Amino acid sequence: MNASKDISQLIANANEDDLRYIVSGWANKHSDFRDYVRNILCPPIEDVDFGLKLSQAVNRETKEFFSHHDVREATDWRNVYNDLIEPWSENADSLSSEKLYDLCDVIVKEVGMQVRDEDFYGDDWYGDDFSGYIQDIMDVLGNLAGLLLIREDVSHEILDSLKKLIKAAKKKDIIDSYIGSPYDFILELISLRQKADEVICGIYDALIDENLGDEAGAWVCRKIDFIRSMGLADEARKYMEEEIKYPEVCLKYYNELIDDGNWQDAIILLDRAQAIKDNGSYFYSPRTPNWLELKQQLLVEHGTLEERIDNLKRLFHNSHNDKKKYYRQLKELVDADKWNEFYYNLLSNVTGYNVIDEIAPFLIEEGELDWLFRLVSESTAKTPTDYRTPLKYAEALCRTHFEKMQTILIRTVRAYAADRFPPKKKVNSSKYPYFRADLESLSELGYSKTQKEIVEFLLQEYRFRPSLTKELKSIKLVTDNG
């Protein structure tokens, strides 16, 4: 390598993996360089050049998208939102008022004023419809403007500049005709602030009512803190109690009660929150805390054994993914001589569309195989073409219910084939490999003879479907079990 070669040219021509290796190696050996790289790649948000980062991202994410009908140039606003806008918004409270205005300014200019009609021509089928992310970005903009307008130190100059910026954006706005933009709402907030010449509850109320990005609960929490800042602690507490329908507010109230050591009222609050959730309040979302889990944590320290067991039963019935965890905890708490009656009642009270899959693991654990077989039988009676349910539990029932399971498997597989692969009708042959794989598993589950009978029947019955018979012939039949 020529030592006189310019370093900038070497870097420009270098392989990206080599550059990463060099930078990583040097950073590991030199702490000052490590800190420098960290600060460049992930600077404190107050030092981020929002304009540069966002313009680079928009340029990088603007590309050609191919659909069935045409080729168009548009921006992948999903990546812009996920990589930059959302992380910035999550840290916006820590920004100075000047930096917060800068962020609003940049989003308006680099997103609001750059969005084109083509950005709304996408299709979910082709994965190029990013209009929902434009909506997310506009919701963030509205909330960021709200954060700016509740700052006591925001100057008249900033308010005037924001008003001028939003009016300019409205003149070029095409977003509003497709999904709605927050510009009129931001102007309303500015008007409220300028008329009062101070922060007022009306600004918070407007943001709560608008509920941009489902952030109403967060704005209620901010309003509570604002009321307290005016020395109105009792009014703030009363307002908080009235608004616990918002999960964020309820969690705020709960944490305050715990900080005060008031666990009794915290449990009462959690019961109210769970009742709201059970009643299907639209304020609740997947982000809502597990109120019963929080209650269990308190009961472990402060509750009676009976209270812990009762709450665990509710957790078991309300859970889909953690049933095993709560079942184990219940088994540890319930007296061994009462366990059989307890689990029978617990599992008998499980309801819903998919009861068998919900309780089957526990029936197998407790040896309740007659119960499991009854559920399998009931399931296939309701859906005669469903061979996958008996297949799922065939191994567990092999020793105790082999002949009956064999009959069910043969009947449901035949019914499925008759329904899905009828003669003289077009079928989706892409499903053949999955069907073959299911049948192939029968020998591993202890049903080799059953497998042989099913396959031989299908080969004869569906000989007019060569693709299916090819899959079936690939199954290695054995008859040394079952």
Side-chain angles (χ1 to χ4, degrees):
M1 180 65 68
N2 188 345
S4 64
K5 233 178 186 181
D6 183 73
I7 186 64
S8 60
Q9 184 180 349
L10 287 172
I11 293 173
N13 296 334
N15 179 283
E16 289 184 7
D17 290 334
D18 289 340
L19 289 177
R20 289 191 179 94
Y21 177 78
I22 293 168
V23 172
S24 297
W26 196 257
N28 287 333
K29 294 178 181 178
H30 300 84
S31 60
D32 54 344
F33 181 70
R34 181 169 61 248
D35 293 340
Y36 169 78
V37 171
R38 182 186 293 113
N39 193 62
I40 292 296
L41 297 180
C42 188
I45 189 169
E46 192 73 30
D47 298 334
V48 173
D49 187 332
F50 296 131
L52 176 63
K53 290 286 188 183
L54 198 49
S55 64
Q56 287 176 340
V58 172
N59 289 335
R60 182 176 64 250
E61 299 298 338
T62 301
K63 48 196 150 184
E64 288 187 335
F65 289 92
F66 298 84
S67 71
H68 182 68
H69 300 291
D70 58 8
V71 179
R72 67 188 181 89
E73 184 179 80
T75 302
D76 186 339
W77 295 107
R78 170 183 51 198
N79 290 337
V80 173
Y81 173 74
N82 289 333
D83 295 345
L84 296 179
I85 303 294
E86 186 179 33
W88 287 343
S89 67
E90 290 174 350
N91 292 282
D93 279 310
S94 66
L95 294 174
S96 66
S97 296
E98 290 75 13
K99 194 69 175 179
L100 185 53
Y101 171 79
D102 180 38
L103 181 52
C104 293
D105 177 84
V106 165
I107 293 175
V108 171
K109 292 177 179 176
E110 297 295 339
V111 180
M113 292 183 174
Q114 301 303 320
V115 169
R116 300 171 295 166
D117 290 294
E118 287 81 2
D119 288 301
F120 296 97
Y121 295 165
D123 191 324
D124 279 338
W125 179 262
Y126 296 102
D128 61 353
D129 179 10
F130 306 116
S131 58
Y133 294 95
I134 298 174
Q135 182 70 72
D136 290 337
I137 294 172
M138 290 297 98
D139 287 346
V140 166
L141 174 63
N143 284 314
L144 291 174
L147 288 176
L148 181 63
L149 293 168
I150 61 170
R151 295 286 180 88
E152 297 286 354
D153 67 342
V154 69
S155 66
H156 291 95
E157 289 76 17
I158 286 181
L159 292 176
D160 290 337
S161 294
L162 182 60
K163 187 175 183 178
K164 182 179 178 181
L165 172 70
I166 298 302
K167 286 184 174 181
K170 273 180 60 66
K171 292 179 180 179
K172 297 184 63 177
D173 184 30
I174 67 164
I175 298 174
D176 196 55
S177 60
Y178 289 99
I179 57 176
S181 66
Y183 296 141
D184 285 332
F185 176 65
I186 294 173
L187 291 174
E188 176 191 337
L189 294 180
I190 295 171
S191 177
L192 286 170
R193 177 63 192 264
Q194 288 182 324
K195 285 180 181 178
D197 200 26
E198 62 180 351
V199 181
I200 57 173
C201 281
I203 297 175
Y204 292 92
D205 292 334
L207 285 154
I208 293 166
D209 291 340
E210 197 71 10
N211 194 24
L212 296 171
D214 297 323
E215 290 293 317
W219 282 107
V220 174
C221 290
R222 292 188 180 101
K223 182 180 176 182
I224 292 167
D225 293 336
F226 175 67
I227 295 172
R228 282 178 176 156
S229 72
M230 295 187 291
L232 304 173
D234 292 340
E235 289 82 352
R237 176 58 65 90
K238 182 180 178 181
Y239 177 60
M240 182 162 54
E241 290 175 348
E242 292 171 349
E243 299 297 330
I244 65 163
K245 59 182 176 289
Y246 295 102
E248 299 92 336
V249 178
C250 189
L251 189 60
K252 178 182 179 68
Y253 193 6
Y254 168 80
N255 287 329
E256 291 181 4
L257 290 171
I258 293 301
D259 289 342
D260 291 340
N262 192 349
W263 62 267
Q264 296 97 334
D265 284 346
I267 287 179
I268 293 172
L269 174 65
L270 293 174
D271 287 338
R272 290 175 61 195
Q274 186 63 38
I276 293 171
K277 184 178 180 180
D278 291 342
N279 288 334
S281 169
Y282 72 90
F283 291 109
Y284 282 76
S285 72
R287 296 178 297 173
T288 300
N290 188 330
W291 306 122
L292 292 174
E293 185 70 63
L294 291 176
K295 181 179 178 181
Q296 191 66 21
Q297 293 171 14
L298 290 179
L299 292 176
V300 167
E301 185 174 355
H302 303 288
T304 64
L305 176 63
E306 183 179 352
E307 288 172 331
R308 294 200 296 275
I309 291 174
D310 184 63
N311 195 62
L312 279 172
K313 286 166 61 177
R314 294 183 68 190
L315 278 164
F316 177 85
H317 287 301
N318 283 18
S319 172
H320 294 289
N321 299 323
D322 293 325
K323 266 186 164 51
K324 287 185 179 180
K325 178 178 75 172
Y326 301 127
Y327 194 83
R328 297 284 174 273
Q329 293 178 17
L330 283 166
K331 204 165 188 176
E332 291 175 0
L333 294 179
V334 176
D335 288 343
D337 58 346
K338 297 179 180 179
W339 176 245
N340 287 351
E341 180 183 359
F342 182 90
Y343 81 67
Y344 181 85
N345 292 328
L346 180 74
L347 300 180
S348 296
N349 286 319
V350 174
T351 58
Y353 171 74
N354 204 26
V355 170
I356 184 170
D357 289 336
E358 293 276 345
I359 69 173
F362 311 110
L363 296 178
I364 294 170
E365 178 179 330
E366 304 298 348
E368 292 282 359
L369 300 181
D370 287 338
W371 188 348
L372 177 60
F373 177 75
R374 175 170 54 81
L375 292 177
V376 171
S377 300
E378 291 172 354
S379 176
T380 55
K382 291 178 182 177
T383 313
T385 60
D386 175 24
Y387 72 85
R388 290 189 177 88
T389 295
L391 186 69
K392 188 182 297 185
Y393 302 110
E395 185 174 23
L397 295 168
C398 183
R399 291 181 178 276
T400 56
H401 299 77
F402 175 78
E403 291 184 359
K404 292 179 180 179
M405 284 298 295
Q406 177 177 247
T407 301
I408 289 176
L409 286 165
I410 292 172
R411 183 180 71 242
T412 54
V413 169
R414 287 187 178 187
Y416 175 87
D419 180 65
R420 300 299 175 92
F421 315 134
K424 298 181 181 179
K425 285 191 178 181
K426 188 176 181 179
V427 300
N428 184 358
S429 61
S430 66
K431 296 189 180 297
Y432 290 161
Y434 301 103
F435 185 53
R436 176 198 55 75
D438 286 339
L439 297 182
E440 197 167 43
S441 69
L442 281 168
S443 59
E444 300 172 1
L445 302 176
Y447 295 81
S448 294
K449 291 182 180 178
T450 311
Q451 178 192 65
K452 185 174 185 294
E453 181 176 339
I454 289 173
V455 171
E456 288 177 346
F457 170 83
L458 294 174
L459 284 171
Q460 176 64 27
E461 191 75 8
Y462 297 93
R463 58 189 180 279
F464 56 85
R465 295 201 177 279
S467 296
L468 176 58
T469 57
K470 181 180 179 182
E471 291 287 346
L472 294 172
K473 286 179 179 179
S474 70
I475 298 174
K476 296 180 179 179
L477 302 176
V478 293
T479 58
D480 59 351
N481 65 1

